[in-house]
Amino acid sequence: MESRPPLPASTDVLVVGCGPAGSATATWLARAGREVTVLDAATFPRDKTCGDGLTPRAMAEVDRLGLGAWARDRITIRGLDLRGFGHERRVPWPTGDHGGTGSAVRRTVFDDRLRQSAVEAGAVVHDGVRVTGVDRGDDEVVAVRAGGQRIACRTLVVADGVRSPVGRMLGRTWHRDSVYAVAARSYVRSGRHDHPWIGSDLELRDEAGAIQPGYGWVFPLGDGEINLGVGALATAARPANVAVKELLQHYARLVRDDWELTDEPRAVTSALLPMGGAVSVVSGRNWAAVGDAAACVNPLNGEGIDYALEGGRLLAELICSGPGPAGAGSSASGSGARPVTVDLSRAWPELLRATYGESFAIARDAAHLLTFPRFLPLAGPIGMRSQALMTAAVRCMSNTVADSDRDIVARSWRAAGSIARRLDRRPLFTD
């Protein structure tokens, strides 16, 4: 059993939240030689509402962290089995810069392994400690209050999830006029738990037969169970008119024979997901929100782990591009010092917009269309008739269009994203 050191009076970097975003940020900062303290309100291992899937983009980050073989040994996912509107399509993950394979690891296991990686890198993790306040001086955070004491910090990383209580203390605001999702997940024993393809039902109907603007999923876990869930898109103007936990039970009945389910869904949980960067105030001079706290969630499929891991690395590199304590490294890859003071209030939103702005803008537009009741019944059958269209759709939805790709799908996606970004007037990582 790991010892529990006392909370420090001060630290160089304080990370609030030990999920994928917080653990990745802490790991890269600690590897670069920074003094890192991580706080999380939960006691690990802990559960989290999620589909548990790791796309090739997520696996590219898992590989960078040195955990790729560990994840793939649990199960290797080759792509998706899509179904709906009278058609079935098997679509492999796209090959290319992101590797072409995925995996699935339940969050109780995955997040705990990421936490261990942060500890192995040199970060000090305190779980079961809730942040209750933030102290500010002039235009920066000087300390947080947690565990009955005050902890001073030089830099604060806010990685406390979709609700982000610490982010709210600092002014982070989620804008529900943009598209968001409601989702529910469960675990079920399955005779096909080791099937190397994700099940994705694009024609998701409730018990009354109405099509919901979302999809049903099955992620094989390779450990005797599958992760089975449903998600629906919504906006403030068109809220989700569905009880997602009841919809999940209905969906489980529909796929029982196909997936050889041997019991009823258990550990059913639900969540509300801000998506597509639909937040304002994601940073200050010496603090930044990352991962779900910054609404870094794909508006088309609800995927957030890849952005959490990738965002953690990008934020660590940005923090380390400025001067650190004596003897500290200055980048997440351990390169030489750069005597530049980084003001995160502008630098972090600008980096988020440069990295995700175009893809999030077009994905938000597409997801927004799906919330109109008549759109999916018209567009769904057209898309599912074409293997080429669905292959392109999976590539774009999974955000595996690489910067180096020059084919027509990649060029079209980037062009559409650029246009959508210029026309988009909704909040996107606003500073």
Side-chain angles (χ1 to χ4, degrees):
M1 183 176 178
E2 296 176 7
S3 61
R4 289 179 174 267
L7 292 174
S10 65
T11 186
D12 176 23
V13 183
L14 182 64
V15 179
V16 180
C18 201
S23 290
T25 310
T27 298
W28 289 116
L29 286 170
R31 288 180 181 179
R34 305 300 284 262
E35 178 194 36
V36 184
T37 301
V38 185
L39 308 179
D40 197 289
T43 300
F44 281 68
R46 60 97 176 93
D47 192 17
K48 186 68 69 173
T49 302
C50 182
D52 296 336
L54 300 173
T55 65
R57 190 180 184 111
M59 285 303 299
E61 294 299 323
V62 173
D63 284 332
R64 287 188 175 98
L65 290 168
L67 299 176
W70 170 82
R72 290 185 183 89
D73 283 348
R74 305 184 71 85
I75 190 168
T76 297
I77 300 295
R78 300 176 187 170
L80 290 83
D81 282 338
L82 304 174
R83 184 170 64 177
F85 306 101
H87 298 275
E88 295 184 4
R89 299 285 176 188
R90 173 164 287 182
V91 181
W93 290 122
T95 58
D97 291 0
H98 297 106
T101 62
S103 184
V105 184
R106 61 181 74 219
R107 292 289 295 274
T108 51
V109 176
F110 185 68
D111 288 14
D112 199 42
R113 184 64 187 90
L114 291 175
R115 179 190 63 84
Q116 293 175 32
S117 291
V119 172
E120 291 163 2
V124 179
V125 178
H126 301 266
D127 60 355
V129 178
R130 184 179 301 276
V131 173
T132 56
V134 177
D135 293 348
R136 298 200 231 189
D138 296 328
D139 61 346
E140 65 180 20
V141 171
V142 296
V144 303
R145 297 188 179 274
Q149 72 178 66
R150 182 179 186 271
I151 305 172
C153 61
R154 188 168 180 269
T155 303
L156 175 66
V157 174
V158 179
D160 54 350
V162 294
R163 298 185 182 277
S164 192
V166 175
R168 289 201 304 272
M169 294 177 194
L170 294 165
R172 177 259 198 191
T173 303
W174 167 32
H175 300 276
R176 294 198 188 192
D177 53 335
S178 187
V179 68
Y180 63 93
V182 291
R185 76 99 235 256
S186 66
Y187 293 107
V188 194
R189 295 200 62 81
S190 167
R192 300 177 65 201
H193 66 94
D194 55 356
H195 184 58
W197 299 85
I198 297 166
S200 184
D201 282 89
L202 305 183
E203 186 181 357
L204 180 63
R205 294 181 180 270
D206 59 24
E207 288 195 85
I211 296 180
Q212 297 300 316
Y215 71 103
W217 72 72
V218 174
F219 286 89
L221 297 172
D223 61 2
E225 292 192 328
I226 58 171
N227 180 311
L228 180 147
V230 296
L233 297 168
T235 65
R238 288 178 296 281
N241 186 26
V242 63
V244 288
K245 289 186 178 181
E246 294 178 9
L247 182 61
L248 181 148
Q249 297 290 347
H250 175 61
Y251 179 62
R253 291 190 291 271
L254 293 177
V255 301
R256 175 168 295 277
D257 292 339
D258 285 346
W259 283 93
E260 301 173 16
L261 306 186
T262 58
D263 63 0
E264 297 301 316
R266 65 172 188 82
V268 179
T269 60
S270 61
L272 201 63
L273 293 176
M275 302 191 297
V279 288
S280 55
V281 190
V282 295
S283 62
R285 200 191 72 77
N286 69 332
W287 70 270
V290 64
D292 287 355
C296 286
V297 177
N298 190 320
L300 286 173
N301 64 2
E303 162 68 9
I305 295 177
D306 50 1
Y307 302 105
L309 297 174
E310 188 175 78
R313 174 174 56 83
L314 293 174
L315 179 56
E317 290 173 350
L318 184 61
I319 291 170
C320 288
S321 66
S330 64
S331 78
S333 57
S335 60
R338 290 172 54 197
V340 179
T341 300
V342 178
D343 183 349
L344 295 175
S345 65
R346 292 296 180 88
W348 182 234
E350 288 174 359
L351 180 56
L352 286 174
R353 286 192 289 267
T355 306
Y356 303 125
E358 292 183 357
S359 62
F360 276 1
I362 187 173
R364 290 202 299 186
D365 284 349
H368 194 78
L369 285 174
L370 291 172
T371 65
F372 287 92
R374 295 183 180 180
F375 181 79
L376 189 57
L378 289 173
I382 296 172
M384 284 296 291
R385 289 192 194 107
S386 170
Q387 181 73 22
L389 278 177
M390 296 315 300
T391 298
V394 166
R395 187 175 168 197
C396 296
M397 287 171 62
S398 61
N399 200 18
T400 48
V401 176
D403 292 340
S404 61
D405 292 342
R406 295 293 181 267
D407 59 280
I408 188 165
V409 172
R411 294 198 306 271
S412 300
W413 179 252
R414 281 192 286 266
S418 179
I419 293 170
R421 180 71 188 94
R422 288 197 298 270
L423 297 177
D424 197 353
R425 294 295 179 265
R426 291 163 294 182
L428 181 71
F429 305 122
T430 53
D431 46 16

